[in-house]
Amino acid sequence: MRVIPSNYKNRAELPLKLKISFEAVFEYLKKITEDKNHYLYHTASNLLNEYQQYPVLKEGFEDFSLLIKYRKEINKLLNILFPEPLQSNEIKAASIPFEFTAFKFSKRFQQILDDAGDDYEFKLRNFDEANIYILACTFILAYHYKIKIDFRRPFFFDIPNKKTGLIKHYRTLYNGDFFKITPLEGTKPITDEDVKVLIDNFNNIDVWKEKFPPNSYEFKGFGIMNLFDVTPDESISKLKENLLKKNHQSFDFLESSISALFGTTNIKFGFSSYNLNHKRANIKYHKEQKSFIIPEKKALTLDNFFCESIKSTVFENGELLAISDLEKYGKENNYNKLYKTLKKQGIQSIILVPLKLSNEMFGIMEFVSKNKYQLNSVNAYKLKDIIPVFKIALQRYTEEFQNKLESIIQKNYTSIHPTVEWRFYEEAEKYYYESEFNNTHTPKLEDIIFENVIPLYGQCDIKGSSVARNNAIRDDLMKQLNLASEIILKAKKRYKLPIYNDLIFRIDKCLSNISSGLKSSDETSLIDFLQKDIYPVFSHLKSLDAELNNDIENYLQLIDDKLHVIYDKRKKYEESVNTLNEELAKFIDTKQIEAQTMFPHYFERYKTDGIDYNIYIGQSLVKNYSYNNIYLQNLRLWQLQMMCEMENIAYHLKNKLTHPLEVASLILVHSTPLSIKFRMDEKRFDVDGAYNIRYEIIKKRIDKALLKNSKERLTQPGKITIVYSQDKDAEEYLKYIKYLQSNNYLLDTVEKVKLEDLQGISGLKALRVDINYSSKAEEKITFDDLMKFMELDI
């Protein structure tokens, strides 16, 4: 009989005195001898007679070394509890609780320990030595007082196998039929009130020791420990745990858990993720990921890599697929690229588990073996429990990965229009991978350029905004000077000091300068004059004269705390501008959502004194869409109709504003494709290339242009101006104008005008058409109407 003494170095203080005894076995044998027909009658009788010479085994002993002395006798005595037919099946041993000494092992248990090697220490995995005293107390409550207070977690042994290289996991159960718990003399019995106190003081060892003093009870007998192999459950649990970890080693730990699940170290694990796009799979990988299907991390085409069965079963239907014999698979599928890739790595069997995360994002769990038939459709069933957890883990990774890309984009590109967002993610992904994997050079964000796009530009500007703002500022400043002058004049009459004449003269001079025209420095100069020369006098007058004090206080109440000037007419003007801008911006933003359904395009708008916006459309801007010139025509008609509607919003809002405002609208037509580039320093798109800069120059100067041989400004309230350079563009827009006239958006008058040459730019022409401000709501063209018109016109 093998005896394994405790591996715990310090014998713990316990409420129990441990006494090894086999009295329960002798009582069991005596009971058998009372029935002469019992099949063990002679065995039991012989044992009882034989063991009369070993009374210590029945009476018990506290010296654990006697287990070694009487091991042959104990082994023979306990054979009755370890029947031969069950020796190879049961994992069972006799043991002493809390001392952790084990003896008398079943054959299967003994073999497990032999396979573990000489250096294996027989210890519980999750035993908390700090709580052993309380555990012993609950043991007494359960077996003596029949009160269940179970704070124990299940106990496990992790036992390695030197032959297979795997670690098996066993859960323990304890049989309490062969021992007795008895209170020693002087021990106070536990009451119901004591139990209530104990369950509220789990961590207070002093309370437990008060109710269960050390060595106050006797344990007499031994226990039977049964182990149950829970390796598959533990493996699945470990797999789930590793999948949900956030550290970089989580994928490395998966392989050992999978080996335990399949019971062999021959199983390897890989994972590949794909971004499916028109049957082309772009590989998506991260630092922890390794793949056997795509070991070189290259993009692939589904058609020429996978067979029809895998495409159908895995990618389309999302079902698990097992290949148990790679050679057979290769022969049946013309030795395709998948076969060659796996064959090169020596793989002979494989299980593919698909995980579809979105319409485009797709992952495959790869389980591979170099042994034929080791992986098959039968043992693939083991993976059913971990697939949902793996999907959660992959979704979490995808979200974290997406957050990393968004962080790169936000840091380097700021807010990005949804239509072109995909391109920024591609660049951010490339930058991220180079940061993670490539140590040979510092990663660099490449320029983001979209080539061959057609621009559409428009503006709805407040007419005469600069003059109106200056007039408002001038009126406020003149009001402020006049009020200050009145106070100084009143002071002059009362106190007749010469300094007041000088101040009045200087105020009048300021009024004269401002009334003739406001210069950029006038406001600053005026504030400086008032603060240095006027306000000190005001401070003196306030303390000198009560009436003047009231006048000065009334003056100061009109002054804005931040601007230090009267902010009345300018405020009304700016509030009106803000109201108009907000209404126009809200309208164009709403319309833009509608326009994106025609064909995705880039859009950006700006609020200045009015609204101006850029639109770009073309094949290079989009992914998974096919561009056609019809979409440009749709967008141009939509733009013209939208400008008519914006004009009507501004017109009907004019009388509601505290400062009435008029707008003038312009559309710039440019049919030659150009390139746009994201400017990292400005965090915005701009045209790219020397030739294309001409377009930007036109945009900046066009609204100040004059008609040829005239002093008349090109843009005028009540008209939409369409600037072009090619006659074919005018023909196209005349068609749109005619359509909108028929629907009462535009009036019949259409002007064809030429523009004065701008600096470096000549030959521009324009159409000007009057807007119908009296069109009714029920006459509005719907988005569907626009689409039908374009279809008919084609």
Side-chain angles (χ1 to χ4, degrees), residues 246 395-405:
K246 290 189 176 182
Q395 285 174 329
R396 188 203 66 213
Y397 161 74
T398 303
E399 290 171 2
E400 291 175 356
F401 180 64
Q402 199 78 354
N403 289 339
K404 290 177 182 177
L405 298 189

Side-chain angles (χ1 to χ4, degrees), residues 320-345:
L320 178 150
L321 184 141
I323 300 173
S324 60
D325 183 350
L326 186 69
E327 291 303 324
K328 181 181 177 183
Y329 170 84
K331 186 177 180 180
E332 292 174 349
N333 292 280
N334 199 29
Y335 300 101
N336 62 3
K337 288 185 178 180
L338 175 62
Y339 164 82
K340 291 176 181 177
T341 301
L342 298 177
K343 178 69 174 177
K344 188 177 180 180
Q345 300 171 80

Side-chain angles (χ1 to χ4, degrees), residues 77 99-100 280 416 418-419 431 452 456 513 595 657 673 695 714 748 767 771 786:
L77 180 64
E99 175 61 26
F100 306 106
R280 182 174 179 80
I416 303 300
T419 297
Y431 177 86
N452 295 317
L456 292 87
N513 290 338
L657 300 175
Y695 171 73
L714 171 65
D748 292 339
L767 299 173
I771 301 156
L786 281 179

